[in-house]
Amino acid sequence: MTHHHAESPLGFSTAAVHAGQDFDPTTGAVVPPIHLSSTYAQDGIGGLRGGYEYGRAANPTRSSLQTQLAAAEGGGHAFSFASGLAAEDALIRAVMRPGQRIVMGDDAYGGSYRLIDRVHGNWGIANTPLDLADADAVAAALDAEDATVLWVETPSNPLMAITDIAALAEIAHSRSALLVVDNTFATPYLQQPLSLGADAVVHSTTKYIGGHSDVVGGAVVLGSDAAADDLAEQVGFQQFAVGAVSGPLDAYLTTRGLKTLGVRMDRHCSNAQAIAEHLVDHPAVERVLYPGLPDHPGHDLAKAQMRGFGGMVSVQLRGGEPAARKVAEGTRLFQLAESLGGIESLMNHPHHMTHASVQGTELAVPENLLRLSVGIEDVADLIEDLDKALAGL
Ligand SMILES: *Cc1c(COP(=O)(O)O)cnc(C)c1O
């Protein structure tokens, strides 16, 4: 089931709070109820009420979330899935065929690369990982006859590289390739890839959109022109025919999270900026990777294409892997865990954790790097926690 929207005149947070969230017409309940039913009574054969027939095909709680997600990204269609990777998988199967190639960043999220390389690779889809900052290399890779999709993650995970979405949209479209942007790190509050020329946006809603580390999910969001409508038919078919949909309870939690995304992101951004500025001067720190720092190579670009620099900060330590290990295991408030984007601060050692699957490949992550998902706690407490762990080196 797809959802069409006129261009919304509402601001981001107004749309996030209201889109798809009309009160329940039978009771007036301000929060739409969670619909658990797997099937729907028909008024005579084929007499569906509101198009609902069976839970894999459509569910009102999922529909609400999809309407809300489309509005948040300024898109015309959204599809919600059981995980971010399920969303990516559905999109790839919708738009690609055996014999075609994905051109992608060489610092893409390890799980996305694993899906593309080790799952879709076995079904005849090739991939070319490269440095997305090198526009000539991207253009040359897309000149290959089989290249049909350009896959961009910005800011990238965990190296925080910023990629020029509008410039790459032009390069991709001049070669009839589709531009896909993984907007998980930035969120639709900070960055709107569809307005910069992307053909599709993917999300792990597990991260900032859910925002409370209590639900796994993913989404594909598409634009609102005729080409997007065609694409939406293909993605909608995959969602329906394969069935990796979000369940109603997961959809509800994700909707609840998305309503507060704007206020949470403001706090994630200001906390991350303060921590990045603090760590830059620390003697144990070799390098801080955060686009909000003026000397970050993507700073000006991030300023132009994002409304804030996000809540993710990566840090490289002078003491190499042993120091990274010690700090990762030495904080009290920053919990050592995979994932990101929740209200609580998390610490991750990508080389051994989130990105272990790309060890030894072109996508391997430096061993002295720690990735911080800066939460919404009081920033003085977070800085004290980091300082104590760093003092132990
Ligand atoms: C976590 C993540 C994914 C995968 O999402 P899941 O919900 O874990 O399947 C994809 N892209 C990025 C950038 C991520 O951080």
Side-chain angles (χ1 to χ4, degrees), residues 30-349:
V30 165
V31 176
I34 301 171
H35 291 267
L36 294 170
S37 190
S38 61
T39 191
Y40 301 85
Q42 304 190 6
D43 296 318
I45 294 172
L48 307 183
R49 299 187 175 200
Y52 294 103
E53 179 178 25
Y54 179 62
R56 171 165 36 70
N59 165 286
T61 310
R62 194 168 88 229
S63 298
S64 293
L65 169 60
Q66 293 180 156
T67 300
Q68 187 193 21
L69 282 165
E73 278 288 0
H77 310 267
F79 300 90
S80 168
F81 291 89
S83 72
L85 290 179
E88 295 181 13
D89 176 58
L91 177 63
I92 291 167
R93 278 185 289 97
V95 302
M96 299 191 80
R97 295 291 176 268
Q100 297 182 336
R101 175 180 302 274
I102 299 189
V103 176
M104 62 190 294
D106 59 9
D107 58 351
Y109 169 64
S112 300
Y113 182 67
R114 181 179 54 210
L115 169 70
I116 289 165
D117 191 56
R118 291 178 53 196
V119 178
H120 292 284
N122 285 336
W123 294 93
I125 295 190
N127 68 76
T128 305
L130 44 67
D131 179 2
L132 292 173
D134 185 345
D136 292 340
V138 173
L142 287 174
D143 279 336
E145 214 175 295
D146 60 354
T148 59
V149 169
L150 175 58
W151 191 281
V152 171
E153 204 183 305
T154 180
S156 69
N157 174 9
L159 298 180
M160 306 304 294
I162 306 295
T163 296
D164 189 336
I165 295 172
L168 290 195
E170 221 177 288
I171 293 172
H173 294 159
S174 70
R175 287 152 176 91
S176 304
L178 290 180
L179 176 66
V180 177
V181 175
D182 182 335
N183 206 27
T184 299
F185 263 42
T187 80
Y189 177 65
L190 298 180
Q191 172 173 282
Q192 303 233 308
L194 296 172
S195 73
L196 297 167
D199 300 287
V201 170
V202 295
H203 277 288
S204 169
T205 57
T206 314
K207 315 298 169 52
Y208 287 105
I209 289 179
H212 297 72
S213 307
D214 56 8
V215 59
V216 172
V220 174
V221 189
L222 306 168
S224 42
D225 60 8
D229 293 347
D230 286 346
L231 219 50
E233 291 226 357
Q234 305 300 316
V235 176
F237 177 73
Q238 291 292 331
Q239 186 195 43
F240 164 70
V242 179
V245 295
S246 11
L249 295 169
D250 289 355
Y252 169 74
L253 283 172
T254 307
T255 279
R256 183 159 115 149
L258 180 49
K259 289 178 182 175
T260 58
L261 181 65
V263 289
R264 284 187 284 110
M265 288 317 292
D266 284 341
R267 178 66 164 252
H268 283 297
C269 289
S270 64
N271 279 1
Q273 184 77 35
I275 284 173
E277 287 172 7
H278 178 78
L279 292 177
V280 156
D281 296 323
H282 198 286
V285 170
E286 178 185 283
R287 200 168 156 219
V288 179
L289 307 172
Y290 185 66
L293 295 174
D295 65 350
H296 184 281
H299 179 68
D300 291 337
L301 182 56
K303 230 167 147 170
Q305 84 183 4
M306 302 172 75
R307 90 155 100 175
F309 301 108
M312 300 301 297
V313 178
S314 288
V315 187
Q316 287 182 265
L317 298 177
R318 289 191 199 284
E321 186 186 2
R325 221 173 236 282
K326 203 154 174 213
V327 171
E329 294 170 355
T331 50
R332 189 173 54 89
L333 293 174
F334 279 89
Q335 299 180 78
L336 182 61
E338 311 249 345
S339 200
L340 61 112
I343 52 171
E344 66 288 293
S345 292
L346 299 179
M347 168 92 70
N348 170 47
H349 187 234

Side-chain angles (χ1 to χ4, degrees), residues 332-375:
R332 189 173 54 89
L333 293 174
F334 279 89
Q335 299 180 78
L336 182 61
E338 311 249 345
S339 200
L340 61 112
I343 52 171
E344 66 288 293
S345 292
L346 299 179
M347 168 92 70
N348 170 47
H349 187 234
H351 185 78
H352 286 299
M353 295 170 65
T354 45
H355 289 61
S357 67
V358 293
Q359 275 180 26
T361 74
E362 289 157 87
L363 285 81
V365 174
E367 295 180 9
N368 69 341
L369 186 139
L370 291 173
R371 188 188 76 183
L372 312 182
S373 174
V374 178

